[in-house]
Amino acid sequence: MANKIPRTPVREQEPKVRATNFEEVCYGYNEEEAVTEAGRCLNCKKPKCVGGCPVSIDIPRFINKVKEKDFAAAAGVIAEASSLPAVCGRVCPQESQCEGECILGIKGEPVAIGKLERFVADWAMAQGITPSLRKNVRA
């Protein structure tokens, strides 16, 4: 069952290293970690996480694309509602928004939605993919 899988930890700089630079502390997920974390999503029929998202990203659909390793399609799903996934994946208060509504968070840790969004955005940028904002277009 998906909810028995523990939340995938995010790699970070060691404290002694980060005290000497101004780089990001959080490294984010690699492909394997992102797919593992995406596998925790229950794909709820009535996803409360979407209601917690200020821009109403179809979170279960983008997470399912990550689970399938179709990262370009995941970027496209996010682009239907958000033009700033790299920023939102880093600074949005997910713990009180989408992740705060995740059903898995009731008895454990919610899916790391923000970290998955960041992964998808960073992957798309590294591949030179710039999805265009397509409000309310479903693939």
Side-chain angles (χ1 to χ4, degrees):
M1 181 178 238
N3 61 359
K4 297 290 184 188
I5 301 170
R7 186 169 174 152
T8 306
V10 180
R11 295 166 291 112
E12 295 182 342
Q13 284 191 55
E14 294 296 324
K16 288 182 180 180
V17 174
R18 67 181 176 222
T20 65
N21 65 55
F22 292 99
E23 295 175 21
E24 283 188 273
V25 172
C26 176
Y27 291 127
Y29 287 145
N30 62 30
E31 288 186 21
E32 180 183 341
E33 293 163 339
V35 171
T36 299
E37 183 62 18
R40 297 181 64 237
C41 181
L42 298 174
N43 201 21
C44 302
K45 289 184 180 184
K46 295 182 182 179
K48 294 176 71 178
C49 58
V50 176
C53 178
V55 295
S56 300
I57 293 172
D58 188 341
I59 295 167
R61 195 158 57 100
F62 108 71
I63 289 177
N64 192 53
K65 295 298 182 188
V66 172
K67 190 175 3 179
E68 295 172 350
K69 298 183 182 182
D70 190 350
F71 308 129
V77 171
I78 294 170
E80 291 172 5
S82 175
S83 59
L84 299 170
V87 173
C88 294
R90 287 171 166 80
V91 301
C92 244
Q94 292 97 2
E95 60 280 350
S96 64
Q97 292 178 343
C98 56
E99 291 180 17
E101 297 295 324
C102 178
I103 298 300
L104 286 178
I106 293 172
K107 291 188 176 183
E109 291 188 275
V111 173
I113 298 166
K115 300 298 186 222
L116 291 173
E117 181 179 22
R118 172 191 171 158
F119 166 77
V120 169
D122 290 352
W123 182 91
M125 282 191 285
Q127 303 303 313
I129 298 170
T130 309
S132 59
L133 186 63
R134 303 177 315 233
K135 197 69 170 174
N136 296 322
V137 175
R138 299 273 172 144

